[in-house]
Protein backbone atom coordinates (compact mmCIF):
# COMPACT_ATOMS: atom_id res chain seq x y z
CA UNK A 1 0.00 0.00 0.00
CA UNK A 2 1.40 3.38 -1.04
CA UNK A 3 0.19 5.15 2.11
CA UNK A 4 2.02 2.69 4.31
CA UNK A 5 5.25 2.91 2.30
CA UNK A 6 5.08 6.71 2.26
CA UNK A 7 4.49 6.74 6.00
CA UNK A 8 7.51 4.52 6.57
CA UNK A 9 9.70 6.89 4.54
CA UNK A 10 8.36 9.91 6.46
CA UNK A 11 8.99 8.13 9.77
CA UNK A 12 12.60 7.47 8.77
CA UNK A 13 12.90 11.18 8.01
CA UNK A 14 11.36 11.86 11.45
CA UNK A 15 8.43 13.73 9.90
CA UNK A 16 6.20 12.21 12.56
CA UNK A 17 3.06 14.26 12.01
CA UNK A 18 2.79 13.43 8.30
CA UNK A 19 3.84 9.83 8.91
CA UNK A 20 1.09 9.45 11.50
CA UNK A 21 -1.52 10.84 9.09
CA UNK A 22 -0.49 8.36 6.39
CA UNK A 23 -0.42 5.41 8.80
CA UNK A 24 -3.94 6.33 9.89
CA UNK A 25 -5.05 6.42 6.23
CA UNK A 26 -3.52 2.98 5.71
CA UNK A 27 -5.27 1.74 8.85
CA UNK A 28 -8.65 2.81 7.47
CA UNK A 29 -8.03 0.53 4.50
CA UNK A 30 -7.55 -2.41 6.85
CA UNK A 31 -3.78 -2.34 7.41
CA UNK A 32 -2.58 -2.90 10.98
CA UNK A 33 0.16 -0.44 11.91
CA UNK A 34 -0.22 -0.22 15.68
CA UNK A 35 3.50 -0.24 16.39
CA UNK A 36 4.22 2.47 13.81
CA UNK A 37 1.25 4.60 14.90
CA UNK A 38 2.28 4.31 18.53
CA UNK A 39 5.86 5.27 17.71
CA UNK A 40 4.69 8.35 15.80
CA UNK A 41 2.49 9.40 18.73
CA UNK A 42 5.39 8.83 21.10
CA UNK A 43 7.76 10.92 18.97
CA UNK A 44 5.17 13.71 18.89
CA UNK A 45 4.92 13.67 22.70
CA UNK A 46 1.39 12.28 22.56
CA UNK A 47 2.20 9.78 25.29
CA UNK A 48 -1.36 8.87 26.25
CA UNK A 49 -2.24 8.04 22.62
CA UNK A 50 0.97 6.04 22.27
CA UNK A 51 0.26 4.06 25.43
CA UNK A 52 -3.34 3.44 24.37
CA UNK A 53 -2.24 2.25 20.92
CA UNK A 54 0.41 -0.07 22.35
CA UNK A 55 -2.03 -1.41 24.98
CA UNK A 56 -4.57 -2.24 22.27
CA UNK A 57 -1.87 -3.89 20.17
CA UNK A 58 -0.63 -5.94 23.15
CA UNK A 59 -4.19 -7.02 23.88
CA UNK A 60 -4.75 -8.06 20.25
CA UNK A 61 -1.35 -9.76 19.95
CA UNK A 62 -0.42 -10.86 23.50
CA UNK A 63 2.35 -13.19 22.31
CA UNK A 64 4.24 -10.35 20.59
CA UNK A 65 6.88 -9.02 23.03
CA UNK A 66 7.63 -5.80 21.13
CA UNK A 67 4.17 -4.44 21.91
CA UNK A 68 4.75 -5.08 25.62
CA UNK A 69 8.15 -3.36 25.52
CA UNK A 70 6.67 -0.41 23.64
CA UNK A 71 3.81 -0.20 26.16
CA UNK A 72 6.34 -0.17 28.99
CA UNK A 73 8.22 2.74 27.41
CA UNK A 74 5.05 4.76 26.77
CA UNK A 75 3.77 4.06 30.28
CA UNK A 76 7.13 5.10 31.70
CA UNK A 77 6.68 8.52 30.06
CA UNK A 78 3.32 8.77 31.83
CA UNK A 79 4.76 7.71 35.19
CA UNK A 80 2.62 4.56 35.37
CA UNK A 81 5.01 2.36 37.34
CA UNK A 82 2.73 -0.66 37.65
CA UNK A 83 2.10 -0.77 33.90
CA UNK A 84 5.85 -0.46 33.23
CA UNK A 85 6.66 -3.35 35.56
CA UNK A 86 3.86 -5.56 34.24
CA UNK A 87 4.64 -4.82 30.60
CA UNK A 88 8.36 -5.54 30.97
CA UNK A 89 7.54 -8.78 32.74
CA UNK A 90 5.16 -9.71 29.90
CA UNK A 91 7.84 -8.91 27.33
CA UNK A 92 10.29 -11.21 29.13
CA UNK A 93 7.67 -13.94 29.54
CA UNK A 94 6.95 -13.86 25.82
CA UNK A 95 10.58 -14.12 24.77
CA UNK A 96 11.25 -10.46 24.14
CA UNK A 97 14.64 -9.38 22.85
CA UNK A 98 16.77 -9.25 26.00
CA UNK A 99 18.60 -6.15 24.75
CA UNK A 100 15.33 -4.21 24.29
CA UNK A 101 13.94 -5.36 27.61
CA UNK A 102 17.22 -4.58 29.38
CA UNK A 103 17.34 -1.11 27.77
CA UNK A 104 13.78 -0.35 28.90
CA UNK A 105 14.52 -1.72 32.36
CA UNK A 106 17.66 0.40 32.67
CA UNK A 107 15.81 3.57 31.64
CA UNK A 108 13.09 2.80 34.17
CA UNK A 109 15.56 2.29 36.99
CA UNK A 110 17.85 5.19 36.06
CA UNK A 111 14.97 7.63 36.37
CA UNK A 112 15.02 7.21 40.16
CA UNK A 113 18.30 5.50 41.03
CA UNK A 114 17.83 6.04 44.76
CA UNK A 115 14.49 4.24 45.01
CA UNK A 116 14.94 0.64 46.19
CA UNK A 117 11.18 0.04 45.92
CA UNK A 118 11.45 0.26 42.12
CA UNK A 119 14.17 -2.36 42.10
CA UNK A 120 12.19 -4.61 44.41
CA UNK A 121 9.03 -4.30 42.29
CA UNK A 122 10.92 -5.09 39.12
CA UNK A 123 12.75 -8.05 40.69
CA UNK A 124 9.44 -9.52 41.84
CA UNK A 125 7.79 -9.02 38.43
CA UNK A 126 10.73 -10.56 36.58
CA UNK A 127 10.78 -13.49 39.01
CA UNK A 128 7.07 -14.10 38.33
CA UNK A 129 7.89 -14.02 34.60
CA UNK A 130 10.58 -16.65 35.11
CA UNK A 131 13.44 -14.42 33.95
CA UNK A 132 16.11 -15.85 36.25
CA UNK A 133 19.07 -14.20 34.52
CA UNK A 134 17.41 -10.76 34.59
CA UNK A 135 16.52 -11.28 38.26
CA UNK A 136 20.11 -12.21 39.13
CA UNK A 137 21.50 -9.23 37.18
CA UNK A 138 19.06 -6.84 38.80
CA UNK A 139 19.71 -8.19 42.31
CA UNK A 140 23.44 -7.72 41.76
CA UNK A 141 22.87 -4.13 40.66
CA UNK A 142 20.53 -3.48 43.60
CA UNK A 143 23.12 -4.84 46.06
CA UNK A 144 25.70 -2.47 44.56
CA UNK A 145 23.39 0.53 44.84
CA UNK A 146 21.86 -0.39 48.19
CA UNK A 147 24.47 -2.43 50.10
CA UNK A 148 22.74 -1.99 53.49
CA UNK A 149 19.25 -2.98 52.31
CA UNK A 150 18.42 -6.51 53.53
CA UNK A 151 15.87 -6.97 50.71
CA UNK A 152 18.67 -7.48 48.20
CA UNK A 153 20.81 -10.00 50.10
Amino acid sequence: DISERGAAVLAKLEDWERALRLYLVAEKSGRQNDLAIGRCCDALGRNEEAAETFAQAAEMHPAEPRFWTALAAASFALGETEVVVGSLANAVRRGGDPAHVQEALQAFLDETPGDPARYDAMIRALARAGAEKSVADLKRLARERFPDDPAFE
Side-chain angles (χ1 to χ4, degrees), residues 35 39 54 63-72 91 94 96-97 100:
L35 196 59
R39 286 185 176 148
F54 293 138
E64 182 57 58
R66 24 182 213 156
F67 292 125
W68 292 107
T69 305
L71 176 57
R94 285 154 175 83
D97 177 3
H100 283 11

Side-chain angles (χ1 to χ4, degrees), residues 67-97:
F67 292 125
W68 292 107
T69 305
L71 176 57
S75 299
F76 176 75
L78 295 171
E80 297 175 347
T81 302
E82 292 300 316
V83 177
V84 172
V85 170
S87 297
L88 287 176
N90 277 323
V92 168
R93 192 175 303 122
R94 285 154 175 83
D97 177 3

